């Protein structure tokens, strides 16, 4: 998928992303405390089932389940030396699960903060993301989804890293609190302006809130956006019930927000 073709596709229709991955894998038997990426590769039918269902329901793009497949996260399980192989296999698995649809390599936070909030330099962060992005390109991804970013510096590092190894489409979503700021204090508008200047292909927000609060963020972004916008809200705020994380919003209620998102300018 070239960036030009991606832009053309977005001019013709609203593209539908996939839905939750982690909660769906838990329903299919993924236990707590394991490396999700390793478990997925050992149980490929689980992710095929999840992504195949999203594809059949109308998703145009699924995210490769490589959320935690960076060097830092994999090192927590002693798997950092398997990074390239795992990312390549995860990409190939998603591609096979959704023939005719797009599979975007998922790049997420390392769990470490970049200076001045932490002791990781931006150059080190770029190297970490570059390593993963290179492997996902080798695996055949159609583009990249940088998601759940809580600090603009880490989001910048991920975009720079991807651009050093690929000219595929890159969409980026940040996570904003109820006050409209990231964990490190970045506003939605300042994040958008910074990242679209780096040449991303779409900007949005994911997780953090239900659709009502996220709709407010999208409306605040639209006047400043020179790139398409996207939204990936939770089905309401998570609740812990009997030791399990539950999202209480029902499908009809969740779906009722979507015309408003379209009207607000979501692509």
């Amino acid at each position: 998928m070239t960036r030009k073709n991606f832009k053309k596709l977005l001019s013709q229709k609203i593209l539908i992303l996939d839905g939750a991955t982690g909660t769906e894998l838990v329903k299919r038997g993924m236990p707590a405390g394991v490396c999700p990426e390793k478990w997925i590769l050992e149980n490929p039918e689980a992710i095929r089932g999840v992504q195949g269902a999203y594809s059949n329901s109308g998703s145009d793009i699924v995210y490769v389940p490589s959320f935690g497949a960076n060097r830092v996260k994999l090192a927590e399980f002693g798997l950092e030396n398997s990074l390239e192989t795992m990312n390549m296999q995860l990409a190939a698995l998603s591609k096979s699960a959704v023939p005719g649809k797009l599979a975007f390599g998922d790049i997420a936070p390392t769990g470490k903060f970049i200076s001045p909030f932490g002791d990781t330099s931006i150059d080190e962060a770029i190297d970490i993301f570059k390593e993963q992005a290179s492997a996902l390109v080798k695996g055949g991804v159609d583009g990249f989804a940088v998601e759940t970013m809580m600090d603009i510096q880490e989001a910048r590092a991920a975009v720079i890293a991807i651009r050093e190894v690929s000219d595929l489409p890159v969409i980026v979503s940040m996570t904003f609190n109820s006050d409209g700021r990231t964990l490190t204090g970045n506003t939605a508008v300042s994040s958008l302006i910074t990242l679209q200047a780096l040449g991303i292909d779409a900007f949005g927000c994911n997780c953090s809130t239900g659709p009502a609060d996220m709709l407010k963020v999208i409306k605040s972004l639209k006047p400043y956006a020179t790139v398409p916008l996207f939204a990936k809200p939770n089905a309401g705020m998570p609740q812990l019930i009997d030791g399990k994380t539950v999202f209480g919003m029902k499908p009809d209620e969740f779906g009722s927000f979507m015309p408003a998102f379209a009207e607000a300018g979501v692509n």
Side-chain angles (χ1 to χ4, degrees), residues 46-226:
I47 194 67
R48 285 198 185 100
V50 174
Q51 295 186 325
Y54 284 136
S55 177
N56 292 337
S57 298
S59 292
D60 299 292
I61 300 172
V62 300
Y63 286 12
V64 173
S66 49
F67 187 93
N70 61 65
R71 183 201 317 161
V72 178
K73 286 294 186 182
L74 290 177
E76 296 175 8
F77 302 95
L79 295 169
E80 64 271 30
N81 293 330
S82 302
L83 183 149
E84 182 173 73
T85 301
M86 289 180 72
N87 278 278
M88 289 174 64
Q89 290 177 345
L90 290 166
L93 185 54
S94 287
K95 289 287 289 180
S96 69
V98 291
K101 303 295 182 75
L102 300 173
F104 275 26
D106 192 333
I107 288 184
T110 62
K112 292 183 174 291
F113 285 105
I114 294 175
S115 178
F117 297 103
D119 56 5
T120 301
S121 70
I122 192 160
D123 287 338
E124 182 182 355
I126 290 170
D127 285 343
I128 290 168
F129 290 127
K130 189 174 177 180
E131 208 172 38
Q132 186 182 11
S134 298
L136 288 167
V137 169
K138 290 178 182 177
V141 295
D142 299 297
F144 287 91
V146 177
E147 69 161 333
T148 322
M149 287 290 166
M150 294 171 278
D151 174 38
I152 192 63
Q153 288 292 80
E154 191 168 29
R156 283 182 64 241
V159 174
I160 292 168
I162 294 167
R163 284 287 173 250
E164 287 189 6
V165 300
S166 168
D167 195 37
L168 291 170
V170 179
I171 68 175
V172 183
S173 58
M174 307 284 289
T175 294
F176 301 102
N177 299 320
S178 57
D179 63 359
R181 293 177 179 269
T182 67
L183 186 64
T184 55
N186 314 121
T187 66
V189 170
S190 67
S191 301
L192 164 72
I193 291 171
T194 299
L195 293 169
Q196 66 188 9
L198 281 178
I200 64 171
D201 298 281
F203 179 81
C205 34
N206 75 290
C207 289
S208 61
T209 66
D213 285 337
M214 192 169 287
L215 185 57
K216 297 174 187 175
V217 176
I218 294 295
K219 288 179 177 178
S220 75
L221 292 171
K222 188 59 180 175
Y224 305 94
T226 61

Side-chain angles (χ1 to χ4, degrees), residues 19-30 50 54 234-235 238 244-247:
T21 298
T23 49
E24 291 301 309
L25 292 174
V26 170
K27 291 176 187 176
R28 288 162 171 79
M30 185 175 75
V50 174
Y54 284 136
N234 282 335
K244 295 182 179 180
T245 302
V246 176
F247 293 86

Side-chain angles (χ1 to χ4, degrees), residues 244-262:
K244 295 182 179 180
T245 302
V246 176
F247 293 86
M249 189 174 283
K250 301 302 181 186
D252 286 350
E253 184 185 0
F254 185 83
S256 70
F257 285 92
M258 300 311 132
F261 274 107

